[in-house]
Amino acid sequence: MEKYIIEGGNRLHGEVEISGAKNAVVAIIPATILAKDRCVIENVPNISDVTILFRILRDLGAKVTYLTKNSVEIDTSYIAEPVVPYESSRHLRASYYFLGAFLGRFSEAHVSPPGGCNFGVRPIDQHIKGFEALGAEVTTDYGFIHATAKELFGSHIYLDVVSVGATINIMLAAVKAKGLTILENAAKEPHIVDLANFLNSMGADIRGAGTDVIKIHGVDVLRGTTYSIIPDQIEAGTYMTMAAATGGDVLIKNVIPKHLESITDKLLQAGVEVTEYDDAIRICRNKPLKKVNVKTMPHPGFPTDMQPQMTTLLSIAQGTSIVTEGVWDNRFKYVDELRRMGAKIQVDGKVAVVEGIPELKAAPVKATDLRAGAALLQAALCARGISELEDIHYIERGYEDIIPKLQNLGAKIKKVSTPDSILSQAQ
Ligand code: EPU
């Protein structure tokens, strides 16, 4: 088993470069299926979610070739069967994007995506509503979702809840459907815009991505393209709160400051200095943190994927902050771990009352999901003493080179492997 050992209490300082966006690349990789051709994707982050998607593509018969560390050629010409079995898809929620991509190319899809996750039920009723509106018949059988159509036709679709996944899946299925699809109450996240830009560079006709009405004129053929993934909004946000938590001074490079506005705003309210440049942002703190109330919402609201990191930051602010989770039902599980480090946080349903304390204390803790893992790592970086963080595979799903990036900022962190047998003897 692998874990991180972190000696806390060191100010982060220096520069860090942000990688390509996880939630964009996990949609764009399946989207390459839509062209029976070769695509070159640049700025691909080296994270385990990407490794899993490439394994699925290769199992399907695609050729995936790394040209450089972050640039990959994908040739999906030889994919014949639109099927992803549970053994391949079970480790990744985003494997459900194969449904939309297969429907778009083959008018048929058979995928067995995983069910719930560590922060609540994750229904896909809105994805299915969209596929059906486009003319597909959707059934489930032994965990498989089967979607089939003779032909897909454009349609007027209203999402009952703002869903990133449904917006993406419907765009993938509709891009080659006959006629016009109008998708209302669509999600507006930066990765939605990135996917639309990618598809348009393949020859699609998608307008309005980034607003709540997306119009998709179906086209007959999509061709291969070369495309560079946008920087990761949440990775950047995580380094912002880590810098603030450690009283550091960090220049975060390769970002789109506009994507970070809701995070910047909360950090400014908390008394952190934030300076925006064209494609970089500097975070500096040398005063105590102040309490702030935060509510997560779909973009452009404060992102739910920054909620654990922000709550952790507020646990060492002066005063009591209220954090309300507005997207997921159960995204405060990590708070039990944070309490073991001394945090004073009470959770009631979707609301956390965070009573700031002067300092967190080191402890052995476990990541419960990706962003919770990042938040606990942030807690360990600023806590007094040496912490051990387990279940780090969650963190490595979404943060490229996190150890060298943090070491370069002066953090005392290392990854160690403990043979499972020794651990079980000790238990
Ligand atoms: N929802 C429905 N029905 C649906 C789809 C969603 O009721 O058919 C509900 C969900 O239960 C949730 C809300 O709508 O309460 C929003 O869910 P959404 O579909 O937007 O989430 P997602 O597409 O499954 C993506 C990100 C998540 C991020 C959310 C919200 C990817 C691969 N995942 O999930 O990212 O939290 O959007 O922004 O893009 C992460 O990166 O750590 C992560 C979990």
Side-chain angles (χ1 to χ4, degrees):
M1 191 188 60
E2 294 182 316
K3 60 184 170 182
Y4 295 160
I5 310 283
I6 307 119
E7 186 181 335
N10 295 294
R11 292 177 68 236
L12 296 186
H13 60 90
E15 297 182 357
V16 63
E17 191 92 23
I18 295 306
S19 304
K22 168 180 103 60
N23 288 346
V25 83
V26 298
I28 286 174
I29 291 172
T32 59
I33 290 176
L34 287 161
K36 223 176 154 187
D37 204 348
R38 279 179 302 146
C39 292
V40 173
I41 315 292
E42 295 167 350
N43 205 27
V44 175
N46 244 294
I47 52 178
S48 61
D49 272 11
V50 165
T51 311
I52 294 170
L53 284 169
F54 284 158
R55 198 184 307 143
I56 295 176
L57 274 186
R58 287 193 178 109
D59 288 349
L60 286 166
K63 245 177 99 184
V64 179
T65 318
Y66 269 93
L67 306 176
T68 66
K69 181 186 172 211
N70 297 106
S71 163
V72 184
E73 186 181 85
I74 304 170
D75 185 348
T76 63
S77 314
Y78 299 105
I79 294 182
E81 291 273 298
V83 182
V84 180
Y86 187 60
E87 300 81 76
S88 313
S89 66
R90 58 194 284 214
H91 299 294
L92 188 65
R93 288 283 312 166
S95 52
Y96 56 38
Y97 291 144
F98 285 101
L99 282 167
F102 283 152
L103 262 181
R105 174 153 156 194
F106 300 98
S107 298
E108 188 182 341
H110 308 276
V111 180
S112 180
C117 73
N118 287 348
F119 42 88
V121 188
R122 295 184 76 163
I124 58 165
D125 54 301
Q126 298 303 304
H127 307 230
I128 292 171
K129 177 181 173 178
F131 296 153
E132 287 177 341
L134 295 169
E137 190 180 318
V138 184
T139 55
T140 53
D141 166 33
Y142 204 64
F144 260 92
I145 297 177
H146 306 279
T148 47
K150 275 211 177 75
E151 204 174 2
L152 294 167
F153 291 95
S155 180
H156 198 139
I157 303 164
Y158 183 89
L159 293 182
D160 303 333
V161 285
V162 180
S163 159
V164 169
T167 303
I168 287 176
N169 242 339
I170 293 167
M171 278 163 69
L172 294 173
V175 70
K176 291 178 74 190
K178 286 254 164 335
L180 172 66
T181 297
I182 301 178
L183 181 58
E184 295 207 56
N185 201 23
K188 300 185 280 240
E189 270 67 5
H191 28 290
I192 305 280
V193 181
D194 210 35
L195 175 67
N197 288 341
F198 170 73
L199 293 171
N200 284 341
S201 79
M202 291 170 106
D205 183 354
I206 302 175
R207 297 167 202 201
T211 75
D212 43 25
V213 184
I214 301 179
K215 292 187 177 157
I216 306 160
H217 285 270
V219 295
D220 290 338
V221 182
L222 293 175
R223 54 179 186 274
T225 184
T226 297
Y227 191 82
S228 182
I229 305 286
I230 50 163
D232 196 305
Q233 174 203 25
I234 305 301
E235 187 197 12
T238 303
Y239 284 104
M240 289 166 80
T241 51
M242 283 178 170
T246 60
D249 184 352
V250 175
L251 184 68
I252 302 167
K253 293 164 74 176
N254 184 35
V255 301
I256 300 174
K258 178 103 190 119
H259 293 170
L260 303 171
E261 272 174 355
S262 60
I263 304 163
T264 299
D265 182 56
K266 289 296 164 192
L267 290 182
L268 288 171
Q269 285 179 39
V272 179
E273 276 176 49
V274 185
T275 317
E276 286 181 4
Y277 303 95
D278 284 350
D279 60 355
I281 200 155
R282 181 177 164 202
I283 301 296
C284 180
R285 177 172 78 85
N286 36 42
K287 286 187 288 197
L289 288 160
K290 293 186 277 192
K291 68 184 171 91
V292 176
N293 294 341
V294 180
K295 178 167 184 185
T296 69
M297 281 189 280
H299 192 79
F302 189 89
T304 172
D305 295 342
M306 280 301 299
Q307 181 265 98
Q309 303 89 312
M310 194 67 195
T311 306
T312 302
L313 181 68
L314 294 172
S315 74
I316 50 165
Q318 289 179 341
T320 300
S321 308
I322 309 286
V323 180
T324 309
E325 174 55 51
V327 177
W328 296 109
D329 287 338
N330 187 11
R331 209 173 187 173
F332 284 117
K333 267 195 177 170
Y334 65 94
V335 164
D336 285 342
E337 297 294 301
L338 213 49
R339 280 204 203 101
R340 304 183 62 239
M341 302 180 79
K344 285 197 175 160
I345 305 177
Q346 294 303 321
V347 177
D348 185 3
K350 291 173 143 197
V351 179
V353 179
V354 188
E355 194 186 323
I357 55 166
E359 188 176 57
L360 293 167
K361 288 178 291 195
V365 282
K366 278 187 181 174
T368 51
D369 67 60
L370 167 61
R371 307 304 173 187
L376 290 164
L377 175 49
Q378 175 184 310
L381 287 170
C382 64
R384 194 164 21 99
I386 297 178
S387 297
E388 292 189 7
L389 178 53
E390 285 182 14
D391 287 344
I392 56 171
H393 58 94
Y394 283 118
I395 299 177
E396 297 182 354
R397 282 189 43 216
Y399 290 90
E400 181 177 47
D401 292 338
I402 191 157
I403 297 285
K405 283 184 186 185
L406 284 172
Q407 285 171 338
N408 201 36
L409 292 173
K412 290 200 174 147
I413 177 168
K414 63 181 179 187
K415 179 164 151 177
V416 295
S417 296
T418 323
D420 287 345
S421 54
I422 293 182
L423 265 183
S424 48
Q425 278 166 26
Q427 276 165 1

